[in-house]
Amino acid sequence: MSSGTALRSKGALATATWIGVAVMAVWTLAPIAVMVFTSLKPRDEVFAIPPTLLPDTWTLQNYVEVFTGSSMPRAFLNSILAAGFTTLMTLILCTSAGYALARFRFRSARPIALFILLGQMVPITVLLLPLYEIIGDMRLQDSVVGLAIAHLVITVPLVTWMIRNQIASIPVELEEAVLMDGGSRLDAVTYVTLPVAAPGIAAAGMYAFLQSWHEFVLASVLTSSASARTAPVALTEFASEFRIDWGSTMAASVVLTVPVVIVFIVLQKYFVRGLASGGVKG
């Protein structure tokens, strides 16, 4: 093959790659653009014929309605609390379990790790009734704490596996050096293992937060009042039997998306680094 042919093939491949990237970007960003611009339209423009992407008249009335005429502010706070509690409990439980599975050598360590991961494959609808009964027996129905505990079923399996792999990728000699210098295992974990594993733990925490933040099925069943209802469930109040307020729904969706974007921007470098380093050793 001549150099000219090779250059043309390489150029064609690069062009096809960029076209594919552009198509994927448009496919991903188009719904977000529609959501944002619809939230800034007056109600009479939402169903205008022919439809338009940009509003003719820009308005913030839909956001005013969300924050002053609905239960979304309280639901937004409930989502923050539920996701925060879920993330905290997940990291405490999964860091302990992940460290034990990665460092303590016993015959059933790997089977136990695989068994925990199987929990991620069980459909949440299958667990709905047992979780409802368990949370009810704990007298935590219709509460943020009860919902956070239920969300552990979603977050714990994969986060345990993520942290276990992250810790397993850290040379055990680092901890042994601390032990040889007279330190305890707690010192080794606190001052060596956890700081090195911090990017992976941050990525796992972000995953747990996002899973709790946008979860709908458990939240819709385990909460029934505005005092515990989360934002994904509160979105349904903008729809009645015969009418849907799409402007307010899109405005509430934008408000619900903003914290996720902020968290990802702040933790982006830890998220990417944690996912990359966590897959080194299994």
Side-chain angles (χ1 to χ4, degrees):
M1 180 182 294
S2 64
S3 60
T5 303
L7 287 176
R8 285 194 297 271
S9 299
K10 187 175 181 180
L13 179 60
T15 301
T17 301
W18 281 109
I19 292 175
V21 171
V23 170
M24 292 177 60
V26 171
W27 180 262
T28 303
L29 296 177
I32 299 176
V34 171
M35 178 180 69
V36 173
F37 290 129
T38 301
S39 71
L40 297 171
K41 289 181 179 181
R43 294 181 180 178
D44 57 348
E45 288 189 27
V46 174
F47 296 102
I49 302 296
T52 59
L53 177 62
L54 298 177
D56 294 330
T57 303
W58 298 74
T59 179
L60 294 176
Q61 183 58 41
N62 294 318
Y63 291 91
V64 173
E65 177 67 22
V66 167
F67 284 106
T68 62
S70 71
S71 64
M72 185 57 69
R74 178 56 189 266
F76 189 76
L77 176 62
N78 291 339
S79 288
I80 293 176
L81 294 175
F85 289 155
T86 300
T87 303
L88 179 62
M89 290 187 291
T90 298
L91 289 181
I92 292 174
L93 294 173
C94 296
T95 301
S96 303
Y99 181 85
L101 292 171
R103 287 289 188 255
F104 298 153
R105 301 301 178 188
F106 52 97
R107 181 176 300 176
S108 56
R110 187 168 181 81
I112 290 177
L114 292 173
F115 180 77
I116 292 175
L117 188 60
L118 286 176
Q120 197 71 29
M121 304 177 186
V122 180
I124 194 63
T125 51
V126 175
L127 303 175
L128 199 55
L129 182 57
L131 281 174
Y132 184 86
E133 294 181 351
I134 291 172
I135 299 300
D137 292 340
M138 297 171 66
R139 301 188 182 278
L140 291 175
Q141 282 184 351
D142 197 28
S143 69
V144 173
V145 175
L147 181 60
I149 293 175
H151 282 171
L152 294 178
V153 173
I154 303 173
T155 60
V156 165
L158 187 57
V159 172
T160 299
W161 188 261
M162 291 171 64
I163 295 180
R164 180 251 182 195
N165 287 353
Q166 179 69 27
I167 294 176
S169 68
I170 300 173
V172 70
E173 290 79 11
L174 296 177
E175 295 182 19
E176 293 175 348
V178 176
L179 298 177
M180 291 178 64
D181 289 339
S184 63
R185 181 176 289 274
L186 181 60
D187 292 331
V189 173
T190 303
Y191 298 111
V192 175
T193 306
L194 291 183
V196 175
I201 294 176
M206 181 177 177
Y207 168 82
F209 183 90
L210 295 180
Q211 289 297 306
S212 176
W213 180 261
H214 62 63
E215 197 281 324
F216 177 81
V217 175
L218 290 176
S220 63
V221 173
L222 297 178
T223 62
S224 57
S225 67
S227 62
R229 188 181 298 125
T230 56
V233 180
L235 280 174
T236 60
E237 74 178 68
F238 297 109
S240 61
E241 184 176 359
F242 302 104
R243 176 178 173 274
I244 299 178
D245 186 351
W246 285 109
S248 297
T249 301
M250 294 298 102
S253 300
V254 171
V255 173
L256 187 58
T257 304
V258 168
V260 176
V261 175
I262 293 175
V263 170
F264 183 80
I265 292 175
V266 173
L267 299 177
Q268 180 181 11
K269 61 179 180 179
Y270 299 105
F271 186 71
V272 175
R273 195 192 318 167
L275 290 181
S277 59
V280 173
K281 185 177 180 180

